[in-house]
Amino acid sequence: HGHFLTAYGKEFAETFSVGVDLNIERIRRGDKKRQALGLGNLAFIRASIENFLEALPQEIRYDSVFMLFPDPWPR
């Protein structure tokens, strides 16, 4: 729900970060946290990672990639 990325964006304000997820509720929650913290260096996008990467121009490069997976066993 954006916990990791908003904390990362706050710590590394000079870095632009993108969170990609298919679940619209996780995108909404992450974006709500981003707005509350005033983090202009973050974006949350609803897409499959495959579609997101295919849509990027070839000259776009990443310094770091973090792949996080939601808990498959909700409590």
Side-chain angles (χ1 to χ4, degrees):
H1 301 127
H3 302 291
F4 173 82
L5 197 57
T6 53
Y8 186 87
K10 191 175 177 182
E11 180 73 23
F12 299 97
E14 73 285 352
T15 302
F16 186 76
S17 300
V18 179
V20 181
D21 200 316
L22 284 173
N23 184 299
I24 191 66
E25 189 57 32
R26 283 194 289 263
I27 294 296
R28 285 185 184 137
R29 288 182 180 188
D31 199 52
K32 187 175 177 180
K33 287 177 181 69
R34 179 195 63 79
Q35 290 177 25
L37 293 169
L39 298 173
N41 61 326
L42 299 181
F44 290 90
I45 297 174
R46 183 178 185 217
S48 71
I49 193 64
E50 295 90 354
N51 289 341
F52 175 76
L53 293 174
E54 286 176 7
L56 290 176
Q58 288 186 354
E59 63 272 7
I60 298 291
R61 297 290 182 251
Y62 289 94
D63 292 329
S64 300
V65 175
F66 301 97
M67 295 183 77
L68 307 176
F69 300 91
D71 186 350
W73 304 105
R75 286 149 190 71

